[in-house]
Amino acid sequence: MPDFENTKIYRIVCENHSYIGATTNLDARLQCHRTACRYYHKNTKLYNFIRHRNWSWEILEHYPCETLLEKNEREQYWIKLLNPCLNSLSYGL
């Protein structure tokens, strides 16, 4: 079970585009993003855009919380605030 006390809200930036995500294990999640960019069957808006470009990331916030719902709500807060164009999913919270 994830340790939501370690939740981090992060942003991937590529050119003038961005993606907001949340995770309890940032190193593993960034590795998943790197790996997914290498495989063309991962056809999400994010991976199609950053596949052949340089991208960087930054931590927006350390957000210790207790539940998946809290993590998702905080991620949605940042998505609404920054309006990233590379996010495909919304939790509708």
Side-chain angles (χ1 to χ4, degrees), residues 12-47:
I12 291 177
V13 178
C14 183
E15 297 175 357
N16 291 327
H17 298 75
S18 64
Y19 167 88
I20 305 296
T23 186
T24 57
N25 186 335
L26 187 61
D27 291 334
R29 186 66 183 118
L30 291 173
Q31 186 58 45
C32 287
H33 287 307
R34 287 183 195 102
T35 300
C37 285
R38 295 184 193 127
Y39 299 101
Y40 288 96
H41 67 275
K42 293 288 187 177
N43 286 321
T44 66
K45 199 184 313 184
L46 172 66
Y47 300 135

Side-chain angles (χ1 to χ4, degrees), residues 10-88:
Y10 65 94
R11 175 169 52 180
I12 291 177
V13 178
C14 183
E15 297 175 357
N16 291 327
H17 298 75
S18 64
Y19 167 88
I20 305 296
T23 186
T24 57
N25 186 335
L26 187 61
D27 291 334
R29 186 66 183 118
L30 291 173
Q31 186 58 45
C32 287
H33 287 307
R34 287 183 195 102
T35 300
C37 285
R38 295 184 193 127
Y39 299 101
Y40 288 96
H41 67 275
K42 293 288 187 177
N43 286 321
T44 66
K45 199 184 313 184
L46 172 66
Y47 300 135
N48 284 336
F49 189 80
I50 69 175
R51 185 166 278 127
H52 300 292
R53 294 174 171 92
N54 292 323
W55 54 277
S56 61
W57 61 272
E58 63 183 329
I59 294 174
L60 297 173
E61 178 179 35
H62 297 274
Y63 188 72
C65 56
E66 295 182 15
T67 66
L68 177 62
L69 179 60
E70 287 180 78
K71 178 182 83 69
N72 291 346
E73 287 175 339
R74 193 60 179 180
E75 180 181 8
Q76 286 303 303
Y77 163 82
W78 281 98
I79 289 171
K80 288 177 183 175
L81 180 69
L82 299 177
N83 195 28
C85 61
L86 296 177
N87 283 77
S88 297

